[in-house]
Amino acid sequence: MTVALVGYTNTGKSTLLNAMTGADVLTKDALFATLDPTARAFEIEGVPFLMVDTVGFLQALPHHLIEAFKSTLESALHCDLALIVCDAAGDYGMQLNTTLKTLADLGFSAPHLVILNKCDVAPEGYFPRDAVRISAKTGAGLEELKRRIFDALKDNFVRAELFIPYAQMGGYGNLRPLLTERSVKYTDDGVNISAIIPAIYAEKFRRFIK
Ligand SMILES: Nc1nc2c(ncn2[C@@H]2O[C@H](COP(=O)(O)OP(=O)(O)OP(=O)(O)O)[C@@H](O)[C@H]2O)c(=O)[nH]1
Ligand SMILES: [Mg+2]
């Protein structure tokens, strides 16, 4: 499952990617520090996710630039969840609207969470109720963010205990790339596997589920 970081430029998307995944992506107090999408793996409660960083948006982005960004954003457009990162110390209303409009122009339709970053330097004030308030710099709010990501995506996968008789290992082998194995234990007559299966493929594994 892929979580894409999208939003206005300089709001802290790459800093958040680094904080969530232990990556070492360039972050900079400058416009367009990120020009190519970077993906990193991370886990929440033992479930693997992929986080994709993207180029930042600007207000009134010229159309030809949106076209150019389209390919860069392609990986993000196919995400299961978008995190719209805004700067809580800046004009986050404008940033959010610009991002929503740009995403709409790109034909984006996946669910999203609004993230208000830089809360360590933001003044107290009114913030959108459902937004997740964090500081990618200090780590504040990241546990809550993980809970919200997990919650938003929990219908997309199932955790299952599988038993594969040795005689059926061939059939299982063909399906194996579709799931993530968390633990594998061999017994006399087959293999016990703790797995995380994308919900859309769960049916294919039905005969192996204990
Ligand atoms: N105070 C504070 N600064 C932050 C926080 N997160 C990021 N920054 C700073 O904000 C600046 C921009 O961070 P980036 O992570 O490069 O922002 P970005 O959204 O990836 O920017 P683009 O790639 O240009 O779109 C850097 O100077 C970061 O150190 C935060 O939570 N608090
Ligand atoms: Mg960046």
Side-chain angles (χ1 to χ4, degrees), residues 1-152:
M1 286 156 292
T2 306
V3 178
L5 294 163
V6 295
Y8 215 68
T9 181
N10 209 39
T11 53
K13 298 179 294 299
S14 300
T15 307
L16 180 55
L17 178 87
N18 291 342
M20 292 282 286
T21 69
D24 192 17
V25 172
L26 172 73
T27 65
K28 218 162 97 168
D29 192 8
L31 300 184
F32 302 121
T34 301
L35 285 172
D36 64 328
T38 308
R40 290 285 184 281
F42 71 109
E43 286 190 359
I44 308 175
E45 292 184 31
V47 179
F49 297 90
L50 202 63
M51 188 166 265
V52 187
D53 195 8
T54 66
V55 66
F57 304 145
L58 269 190
Q59 204 173 13
L61 206 57
H63 199 77
H64 67 277
L65 261 186
I66 293 191
E67 282 302 314
F69 284 175
K70 218 170 186 165
S71 59
T72 316
L73 285 165
E74 202 101 276
S75 48
L77 288 178
H78 297 278
C79 71
D80 299 292
L81 177 72
L83 304 185
I84 300 184
V85 183
C86 303
D87 179 350
D91 188 353
Y92 52 84
M94 177 280 290
Q95 295 163 5
L96 177 59
N97 288 334
T98 303
T99 306
L100 288 171
K101 188 178 174 308
T102 309
L103 288 175
D105 288 348
L106 291 166
F108 177 83
S109 60
H112 70 260
L113 291 176
V114 177
I115 314 298
L116 286 170
N117 187 35
K118 307 197 188 183
C119 279
D120 55 310
V121 288
E124 287 298 314
Y126 168 79
F127 292 112
R129 201 152 49 101
D130 280 340
V132 190
R133 299 184 57 185
I134 64 159
S135 166
K137 199 168 195 170
T138 68
L142 294 190
E143 287 308 310
E144 168 68 8
L145 175 57
K146 285 181 190 167
R147 262 195 300 280
R148 294 283 298 272
I149 293 171
F150 195 86
D151 241 38

